[in-house]
Structures are given as C-alpha cells and as structure tokens.
Amino acid sequence: MRYRDYVIYRLILAVFVIFGVITVVFFISRMIPSDPAALWVGAHPTPEAIEKARKELHLDEPLLNQYLYYISSLLNGDLGVSIRTHNPVVDDIKSAFTATLELILFAELLALIVGIPLGVYSAVKKDSWVDNFSRIFAISGVSLPTFWFGIILQLAFFKYLQLLPLAGRVDSVILLEHPLEIITGLYLVDSLITGNIPVFVNALHHIILPALTLAMYPVGLITRQVRSMMVEVLQENYIKTAFAYGLPSRKIYFKYALKNAIAPALITVGLSVAYTLTGAFLTEIIFNWPGLGRYAAYSILSMDYPAVLGVTIVAATTYVIVNLVVDLIQVYLDPRIKL
Amino acid sequence: MRKLLSVGFVIALILAIAISGCAGTNKTTEPSTPPSEGAKEETKKVESKPNVVIYGYVSEMTTLDPSTEFSNSIIILPNVYECLVKYTPEGLKPWLATSWESNEDGTEWIFHLRKGVKFHSGNELTAEDVKWSIERTVRMGLGASFIWDPVESIEVVDDYTIKFKLKYPANLPLIASSSYGAYIMDSKLLSKIGDDETIADYLNKGHDAGSGPYTIEKYEPKTEVVLKKFDEYWGGWSDDQFDIAIIKIVPDASLREQMVASGEIHIARDLPLDDIPKLQQDPNVVVKQKSSYQELYAMLNTRKPPLDNKLVRQALSYAVPYEDIVKYVLHDYGKAAKGPIPPGMLGYFEDLKTYTYDPEKAKELLEQAGYPNGGFKLVLTYTNGDEAEAKVAEILKAEWGKLGIDVEIRPMNWEQQWALAKSDPMKAQDVFIFYWWPTYPTPYDFLFSMFHSEDEINFNLAYYSNPEFDELIDKAVALEGTNIEKAKDLYRKAEEILMEDAPAIFLYSPDDVYVIHKSVKGFEANPGYPQVVFFYDLRAT
C-alpha cells in the first residue's frame, strides 16, 4: 500500500469510528429516562409549557426521526441547543474547547521541558540517585490521582505560600481594566500578540497550577520513555566512537543520542495528549477552568444530552485525530509498520 | 559539569515559575492588610477604583429575556430590571410604582409610576413601557407568564398611570412583584428590534433594556457576568457603593468556600452545611442566615392503598422525628415545618396544629386502620444527588421500619420521578420527597399547585382532592388584595383541613445561608427573590 492510499484508508476508518460513537451515544442518551422538555421550561412549568417545549425540541416525534434530524443538522455543523443554558451547543463548545486546548498545550509543553532533560539525565546517570529520584517522580506522576495532586498544589501554592491563584483562567478585574482582544481564544497567545502584558502575566499565573496537575502524567510517561530509549542508544557503537574521539559529551547526548531516542518519545507525547483530555475533566473542576471537561461534567449531571452528545463528538474526534496523526507519523518514519 | 546542564535547566525552570509567581502577587500586595490572609489581593482591589464586588454562584446562567426566563438568571434580572412593586417580608414596597389602589372587589388596579426613571438607553419610563412589557410576556406564554392570568386588559391612563382590569379578583401588586415574569422593559428600544423572537435573541446575547441600577457589561453565561453601575439610576449613588458587580460561576462548593474565605469572591451560598460552624469562627467572613420560602414535602399517594386510608397517613405523619431531622440534616440551619407554608410568609401560622413526633400515637392509629403491625411496603423516591433528601429518606425508612412498614428507597432524577408520579397513581411511588418554592410569595402558589384538585396531574403529586379545601383557597386568593384578614382566616381553615387529611408530610424549611467576606456589608437576603443579591444595597467597608 502506498503511503497516500494508507492515509485515505485511515481517514475513512476514522469517519466510521466517529459516526459509530455518535450513533451509540445518541441512542443511549435517549434511553435514559428523563424529560428534557420539563428541564427546558424551568422551575415550576405548566403542562402547556411542557407540551410546547416538546414540540419545539422535536421530542414528540419517533426516535428514528429524531436521530435523522440530529444527523442532518450535525452535517450542517449544528449540534443542537443546550437544554440547560438554551445556548447553541456549538458556541458553548467552541469557547470551552479553546480553554481546554490552552491548558493541554501548556501542560504538554511543561511535560516536554521537564520530561526530556530528566529522561536524558537519568539514562546518562543510570542507577545513580538522580535516576532513582526520577523513577519515583515518574511513577508517582503516572499513578497518583489527578484530583489529589491538584488539591495538594492548591494547598501549597495558594493557601500556604500565597504565590499562585486558586482557580479560574484570569482575574475578572484585570480583564476589566485591560480588555483582551480575542483572536485565537488562547489567552496566553492572544495577550502576547496584542501586547497586553498584565493579562498575559495574570493568565500565566492562573495556568501554572492546573497545567502542572495535568502535566504529571505525561511527565512520568515521557521521562520513562526517553530514559529507556536513551539507555538503548547509549549502548550503540557510534556513541562509543563519538566518546573515543573526545567529542563534548553534551553534544553526544543531546545531538547524536537524543535525536535517535526522541522519535518514540514523541509518539508517547501524542498519545498522552489524548489521555490528558480525560485528565482535564477532573482538573478543570478542581480549578474551575471553564473548559470542555467542566462543561461535560455539569452537562451530564443535569441530563443536558445535546451538550453531552456535543462534547462526546468533539472528544471522540480529537481522540481519533490525535491517534491518526500519531500513526501516520509513525508509519512515515518507519515504513515497516504499515505492513 | 556540562552533564549537569539539563538538571540546571529544570531547576531554572522551577525557579522561573516561582519568581514569576512572586512578581505577580507583589504588585497587588499592600501592607495595609495583615500578611496572613490570602485576602490581601482582593481587598486591595476593592479599595482601589473601580469598586468591585464578586458573587460566586453555583450554576451557569440561562436566558436573559425577562418575559421568558424562569431559571438561574434570576440573579441578574432584578439588578438590571425593575418591577412595579418590590416584595419584602415586611410588606410590599414601592419600586417603579410609587403607589397603587384598587376598586372594592379587587378587579381593577391602578398603579402610579415613579417620574424621572430612565432606562439604560436614556429613554424615559412611561406607562406605555409597562403595558408593552406585560403584554409581551403574556403573548409569549412561556416561563412564568401564568402569573398574569387574572389580567384581562391593561390601559394607559396617562404617562405615569396605568390601569389593569382583571377577570377575577387578585392581589395584583403582589403579582407585579414576582421574581419571574414581572420586569418592565424599554419598549421604545425593543419594539424597534423586531418581533418577539428577534427581541429574545437580542436580549439573550447579553443586551439589556432595563432601568435597574446596573447594566450588563459582559455576559459569558458559563463563566461570569459583569454588571456595571448605571450612572443615571433614579435612586442615585453614594461613594461606597460598588461600580462593578461580578457574578462568577463556581459550581464546586468546596472551591467556593475557599474562595470566599480568601476574598477571591465576596458572597457565596450553597456551601456544605457541615462547614458553616467553622466559617463562623473565621474573622474574614460573616455568615448570614435567614428563613427561605422553600419547604420540603413528602407527598403521600392518596389514591393507592394503604395510603388512601387517612389514618395510615396520619400515623406516618406522627412517626417523623421533625426536630431531629432539622438537627441532623440541616445542622439546625432551618426550621421544622408548621404546615404547608414556610415561616415568614402570608399563610404561615406558628400555632397551627401540626404533627409532632409521637410513635405511640402512630402505632395506635395504624391499629385503628387495621394494620396493627404494619406489614405493608412503601416505595419512596427522592431526587438523586440531593444529600439532604437522601438523609431524610434514610430517617423515614428507619422510623417507619419501627412500625413494621418496609420502605424501599429509590433515588431517581427529578424528571424521571416526576414522570412516574404523573403516569398512573396506582403504579406511582407511594411517597415522593420534593421541594417547593413560590414563583411569587402567595400561599395560593403552594396550596393550589400541590393540593388543589387537578384533572391532569402536574404538581398535585399526592393526588389530593377535596372540594371544600379548593373552595376555601380559591376564595382566599381573591381576597388577598382587598381583605387580607379575611383571606388569612380562609387560608387557615384550608390548612387545618390539610393537616387533618394529611396528604403530605410537611418536613422542614431550610434557611438561606450566605457567607459574606468582611470587605462587604449591607447584605440582606430577600426570600421573595431567592438567591438574588441586590448589589445596589451593598456597601464597601
């Protein structure tokens, strides 16, 4: 199979997977006994108001019609209207998604900055105390529950050290005094390109704790992956030769060895992005981060199924795309895999 | 040495984070407040210009159209819009109307409007706006528009006088004070926008058309709503009032608690009741507690045996440890119910003969009813996830178990159990635990919604029907506006019938508990506008 054909084949598969997820989630959410019409109307609705809402939401039609109706509006980019907030779900998700994206990107960046050097150094100093420390660090990162770590960080940095804010994305008051022009929806990026330094500094402070919380898992993963690949590469003859020639060791580790060790680590990073999306659900609740996770959690709690469906579609699509990209890169780098 | 560079890099990164953290907070830290409080950052902001107050609220905002909104955005509306009349537990107060009067039988009401009231657009408020607003609400027929059911026609007498003709007598000023569906909008601004739907879209995007002390500056229903003071507000402004009021959505209760204790937000409610005593010791906050107009009921299925037997229902009512429930479930932040109406409201009678915990009496009654050792099973449902209701359910199961009654507890989501109750009384749950609170504070809203005979079941979840009771409350509500003493008499008689028939167990009325940061004063909860903070009444300390 040629590379291009393989890409097309995988894309078609991805579409089927996403379509399957939508179908399953749609029918499951409609099977849960609940009355969205009553939820739509509010506190003490009259029977007439509920009946009116039922018509408006197409709930009086057969399930199959509702499904077809949903799919056809989905193809037009319409995810329906939230039962709880009466907002188009697309709008809700758009703003929530950029918040989550910013958090995840920042967390992954932290994970790379910390994980790669730590992995390299552990491999170089194999079985030293540094290696042991990094092992404990990595294993705790992978195994400790996110919410626990988040709360500990809040206690330490907010309550006792008073260095970083407790929750939220940016201070409302700062945002009022220095209005931020939204371009990408990522506050750090937007404030930087518009030169809005107070908002940038404030947003940076807000993102550190949730991003650290979220980064714990990928840090552990990357550290271990880089370390094991580095240990392997360092055994290679060309490394030994490089040492024999008396090349500077930093150059050997970071230029020659890491280059060969990094590819599998990057795959791990890719896959951990998908995992981080799940981790974001809890982190966002603890830090009141107005992202997709918080939106999903409260939508589920209030049986707001258009919102739940919308989030599921976005999450599933992201997951599938990330996996697809990772696979395609892998195949590109190592043609043996596509057999 | 070079090998250490990577470690050096990591350390440098951690340091950079720490330093950037220090640098950021130093900027706003002032020596005026003791360093031990996390509050310093926020307190400083409150002291500097602009004055800001932040209310941490539990749920996302819903819609913003005063004609149709019937949910959480109530906490915005009364700060941005105004009603003709303001409800307080002490009585009705002038708001947009300075005075009002009716004919003798209460079928015609005239309201005299305040002069010189400006909408946020600069337009002046006139009787035309009142007529337009209420007619639009009625026409749209959504939300709480049913409150205007008695109104037959609205007539503009002159710019500052408006006359309502009613189909039947009603307490129109009380209706006009409703927390939902009674706000007056700027008709000159809105009527230019388009039809009712277009106006709704316009408003729901975060525009406002009110005359209240604040205007909507920024509307992000999922994260925060920023309100800015309206300089030309008819009530005027003083220096210590807040220029900016922010409603911040913080759904997590423990986070809200930490935020109010540290001053990141200034007002919070719905905090875990177990933690309130701890907060009462905290010098940074003040805990405010006031009766709400909410009450918890256990509706008894009066159609299905054995609860179709009055004696059994009375027995169950006697076998409830009311005071213990208040203590254990509410941690004493509330009162055991005295009948169907919560304390402080019209129709609440401290001395109404109600049930008290008397297991012996309960046993006797069961014996009389022909169930000497219980021996029957009851299905009890409550709203899944509501901790207080869950505890109440457990207590009822234990107490009724002592009488030989087997209680099966089924936590369900609200719509689900409501649907079950509405389907077929013979198959529905036997006991249905749920809360009621009024759309506007009249006892009729409680007694009619839950106990008036219904052809099609909506909220009469005990399936109770008693023509004598129906007649009494229908008469009482007609007299509410003109002869309050007579109305009270009739309500009392109706409630006595209800206590005798025992279609429901009246459990408790929880208090509204607000935690206020010390930098803000002047807050008083108004049970007529549940969950609302009137930002205009607040002052900076």
Side-chain angles (χ1 to χ4, degrees):
Chain A
M1 208 185 280
R2 285 166 59 199
Y3 189 65
R4 200 192 61 191
D5 294 343
Y6 179 75
V7 172
I8 293 170
Y9 166 71
R10 286 297 310 265
L11 278 175
I12 293 170
L13 268 188
V15 170
F16 270 101
V17 169
I18 293 168
F19 190 72
V21 168
I22 294 169
T23 309
V24 170
V25 177
F26 180 90
F27 284 103
I28 288 179
S29 69
R30 298 295 160 120
M31 264 182 246
I32 298 168
S34 162
D35 187 358
L39 192 64
W40 173 270
V41 182
H44 293 156
T46 56
E48 299 81 44
I50 294 178
E51 219 29 65
K52 201 171 169 186
R54 207 178 298 283
K55 283 217 170 64
E56 211 174 306
L57 298 169
H58 300 278
L59 291 168
D60 53 343
E61 291 174 31
L63 199 56
L64 194 67
N65 286 13
Q66 291 182 39
Y67 176 68
L68 294 176
Y69 188 83
Y70 187 81
I71 295 291
S72 69
S73 46
L74 184 67
L75 293 175
N76 294 321
D78 179 7
L79 289 173
V81 176
S82 157
I83 304 273
R84 187 174 39 131
T85 64
H86 293 225
N87 270 339
V89 172
V90 174
D91 293 355
D92 279 359
I93 286 182
K94 239 187 249 166
S95 65
F97 187 71
T98 47
T100 299
L101 188 69
E102 178 165 42
L103 184 61
I104 289 180
L105 288 180
F106 199 82
E108 288 295 338
L109 193 71
L110 274 182
L112 284 177
I113 292 175
V114 177
I116 292 178
L118 200 60
V120 171
Y121 196 70
S122 306
V124 173
K125 285 277 177 190
K126 202 164 146 256
D127 296 328
S128 70
W129 67 269
V130 181
D131 187 27
N132 288 335
F133 167 78
S134 107
R135 182 177 298 128
I136 294 170
F137 184 69
I139 291 172
S140 347
V142 178
S143 50
L144 282 178
T146 312
F147 65 89
W148 182 82
F149 196 67
I151 292 167
I152 295 295
L153 283 179
Q154 280 181 331
L155 272 180
F157 285 92
F158 172 75
K159 188 148 190 190
Y160 296 114
L161 298 174
Q162 295 180 27
L163 283 178
L164 293 169
L166 182 66
R169 214 176 158 192
V170 65
D171 263 330
S172 325
V173 182
I174 296 271
L175 216 49
L176 273 184
E177 287 166 354
H178 309 273
L180 177 66
E181 193 190 333
I182 298 293
I183 301 164
T184 60
L186 309 176
Y187 284 8
L188 286 175
V189 177
D190 290 352
S191 56
L192 208 58
I193 48 185
T194 53
N196 194 338
I197 298 306
V199 170
F200 177 77
V201 172
N202 192 272
L204 188 64
H205 284 153
H206 278 85
I207 205 170
I208 289 172
L209 291 188
L212 270 180
T213 308
L214 209 52
M216 278 307 277
Y217 179 82
V219 164
L221 221 54
I222 292 166
T223 311
R224 296 311 291 165
Q225 185 83 36
V226 169
R227 181 193 174 275
S228 70
M229 292 315 292
M230 276 296 279
V231 167
E232 226 172 89
V233 173
L234 289 177
Q235 308 295 325
E236 301 283 341
N237 283 334
Y238 69 92
I239 299 290
K240 289 179 182 156
T241 315
F243 273 112
Y245 278 123
L247 290 177
S249 48
R250 187 168 64 108
K251 198 170 179 183
I252 298 172
Y253 292 140
F254 282 92
K255 200 162 173 199
Y256 300 136
L258 185 59
K259 206 177 193 177
N260 287 313
I262 199 85
L266 286 183
I267 305 294
T268 314
V269 172
L271 293 176
S272 77
V273 168
Y275 179 86
T276 318
L277 190 66
T278 328
F281 275 50
L282 279 173
T283 310
E284 286 179 3
I285 292 174
I286 296 166
F287 289 97
N288 204 34
W289 192 266
L292 210 55
R294 200 187 80 158
Y295 181 67
Y298 293 105
S299 300
I300 293 167
L301 286 179
S302 54
M303 293 283 193
D304 182 358
Y305 67 81
V308 174
L309 266 170
V311 173
T312 313
I313 291 169
V314 172
T317 311
T318 315
Y319 210 94
V320 168
I321 289 174
V322 170
N323 267 300
L324 182 67
V325 170
V326 168
D327 279 0
L328 292 182
I329 293 175
Q330 217 163 8
V331 169
Y332 186 74
L333 293 177
D334 188 352
R336 279 171 301 176
I337 293 173
K338 71 180 157 193
L339 300 171
Chain B
M1 281 306 284
R2 276 172 181 169
K3 290 175 195 167
L4 281 175
L5 271 177
S6 56
V7 174
F9 182 67
V10 174
I11 293 169
L13 178 86
I14 293 168
L15 276 178
I17 291 170
I19 290 167
S20 82
C22 295
T25 29
N26 278 346
K27 249 188 353 191
T28 43
T29 306
E30 285 292 306
S32 58
T33 43
S36 62
E37 299 148 19
K40 55 193 170 191
E41 194 172 343
E42 210 55 52
T43 317
K44 169 69 171 67
K45 279 169 202 152
V46 168
E47 282 160 13
S48 68
K49 279 262 157 192
N51 269 348
V52 178
V53 62
I54 305 176
Y55 175 21
Y57 188 65
V58 57
S59 309
E60 296 172 2
M61 294 299 103
T62 43
T63 57
L64 264 184
D65 184 339
S67 289
T68 59
E69 164 61 18
F70 202 18
S71 188
N72 297 334
S73 301
I74 183 187
I75 64 171
I76 304 173
L77 295 180
N79 285 298
V80 173
Y81 295 89
E82 294 170 293
C83 302
L84 291 176
V85 178
K86 191 167 196 169
Y87 177 88
T88 70
E90 295 78 41
L92 296 176
K93 299 260 159 74
W95 203 351
L96 284 178
T98 48
S99 62
W100 48 88
E101 71 250 358
S102 76
N103 63 355
E104 219 164 273
D105 61 356
T107 51
E108 233 180 68
W109 287 87
I110 292 173
F111 290 80
H112 302 281
L113 300 184
R114 191 179 295 281
K115 288 179 183 156
V117 172
K118 281 214 171 136
F119 284 111
H120 302 153
S121 63
N123 294 333
E124 202 195 337
L125 176 128
T126 63
E128 220 26 88
D129 296 300
V130 177
K131 179 177 158 75
W132 186 91
S133 301
I134 295 169
E135 283 181 349
R136 174 174 184 263
T137 301
V138 172
R139 189 167 59 235
M140 292 184 80
L142 294 166
S145 61
F146 57 83
I147 60 170
W148 298 109
D149 187 59
V151 176
E152 188 172 278
S153 65
I154 306 171
E155 193 186 309
V156 172
V157 179
D158 61 49
D159 272 0
Y160 303 105
T161 316
I162 189 141
K163 186 155 117 187
F164 292 82
K165 283 206 170 121
L166 307 191
K167 292 180 239 169
Y168 49 88
N171 186 353
L172 202 66
L174 186 65
I175 294 173
S177 76
S178 168
S179 54
Y180 289 110
Y183 298 101
I184 306 306
M185 295 166 261
D186 184 346
S187 66
K188 287 167 218 74
L189 173 80
L190 291 181
S191 55
K192 268 189 252 153
I193 288 176
D195 61 1
D196 290 339
E197 292 294 320
T198 322
I199 293 170
D201 283 345
Y202 170 81
L203 293 171
N204 288 335
K205 286 205 172 79
H207 299 105
D208 80 68
S211 60
Y214 289 91
T215 65
I216 297 173
E217 171 82 1
K218 183 172 147 200
Y219 180 63
E220 283 179 10
K222 288 196 305 304
T223 50
E224 64 179 19
V225 180
V226 178
L227 306 179
K228 196 177 149 200
K229 88 171 193 193
F230 172 53
D231 288 324
E232 292 173 76
Y233 183 58
W234 58 265
W237 290 93
S238 67
D239 284 346
D240 53 355
Q241 279 171 295
F242 291 98
D243 303 337
I244 304 275
I246 298 175
I247 294 158
K248 211 181 191 73
I249 316 300
V250 187
D252 188 72
S254 56
L255 191 60
R256 273 201 311 283
E257 187 181 326
Q258 284 192 65
M259 287 173 92
V260 74
S262 67
E264 289 227 339
I265 58 178
H266 304 106
I267 301 164
R269 49 168 287 138
D270 299 312
L271 302 181
L273 288 175
D274 323 33
D275 290 353
I276 301 292
K278 189 179 80 194
L279 285 164
Q280 266 164 337
Q281 306 297 318
D282 187 335
N284 287 327
V285 297
V286 179
V287 175
K288 291 257 187 177
Q289 175 186 2
K290 192 167 190 171
S291 305
S292 72
Y293 287 168
Q294 208 179 26
E295 188 163 317
L296 187 71
Y297 299 81
M299 305 299 273
L300 305 176
N301 188 336
T302 57
R303 293 255 183 99
K304 196 165 121 191
L307 296 188
D308 58 345
N309 185 335
K310 187 165 94 178
L311 295 174
V312 179
R313 296 198 301 268
Q314 289 177 340
L316 291 183
S317 302
Y318 274 117
V320 177
Y322 298 94
E323 296 300 332
D324 286 352
I325 289 181
V326 170
K327 199 166 170 187
Y328 172 64
V329 178
L330 294 182
H331 297 267
D332 282 329
Y333 292 103
K335 280 195 187 77
K338 292 251 179 236
I341 307 297
M345 243 183 78
L346 174 70
Y348 171 78
F349 305 103
E350 186 74 46
D351 55 344
L352 190 73
K353 194 183 160 290
T354 49
Y355 294 91
T356 46
Y357 184 49
D358 191 345
E360 285 310 311
K361 181 105 186 168
K363 240 181 232 165
E364 254 170 55
L365 283 164
L366 270 187
E367 221 171 285
Q368 273 180 44
Y371 301 96
N373 297 308
F376 53 86
K377 192 180 152 182
L378 297 175
V379 173
L380 178 153
T381 66
Y382 72 88
T383 308
N384 197 6
D386 188 313
E387 227 170 287
E389 288 184 24
K391 285 181 186 169
V392 170
E394 289 294 338
I395 294 173
L396 294 183
K397 183 183 167 75
E399 286 295 333
W400 293 350
K402 289 180 195 163
L403 299 173
I405 301 166
D406 179 22
V407 179
E408 185 198 327
I409 298 177
R410 281 192 208 159
M412 297 167 99
N413 83 50
W414 160 251
E415 285 83 23
Q416 200 181 350
Q417 59 175 340
W418 192 31
L420 177 67
K422 288 200 287 186
S423 60
D424 173 7
M426 295 313 284
K427 289 183 189 146
Q429 60 272 66
D430 301 288
V431 185
F432 187 148
I433 297 188
F434 87 123
Y435 282 102
W436 190 264
W437 64 96
T439 307
Y440 63 92
T442 161
Y444 192 65
D445 187 81
F446 285 76
L447 300 174
F448 177 83
S449 306
M450 289 183 291
F451 302 108
H452 196 284
S453 311
E454 270 181 348
D455 294 332
E456 193 189 331
I457 295 302
N458 194 37
F459 283 110
N460 184 345
L461 303 169
Y463 321 109
Y464 178 68
S465 176
N466 181 338
E468 194 192 346
F469 171 84
D470 293 350
E471 200 190 324
L472 279 170
I473 62 169
D474 288 343
K475 264 191 193 157
V477 72
L479 289 169
E480 253 187 53
T482 46
N483 189 342
I484 196 84
E485 287 311 314
K486 186 89 204 312
K488 269 194 203 165
D489 262 6
L490 296 176
Y491 278 132
R492 192 186 171 104
K493 281 195 185 111
E495 286 172 38
E496 279 163 2
I497 292 176
L498 215 50
M499 295 319 291
E500 168 67 22
D501 285 349
I505 295 169
F506 306 105
L507 290 158
Y508 61 69
S509 176
D511 283 345
D512 270 333
V513 181
Y514 286 83
V515 178
I516 317 285
H517 191 257
K518 62 172 180 193
S519 57
V520 171
K521 62 177 183 187
F523 173 79
E524 276 306 327
N526 182 336
Y529 305 88
Q531 320 205 31
V532 173
V533 173
F534 286 93
F535 295 115
Y536 184 74
D537 298 341
L538 303 180
R539 297 288 184 274
T541 53

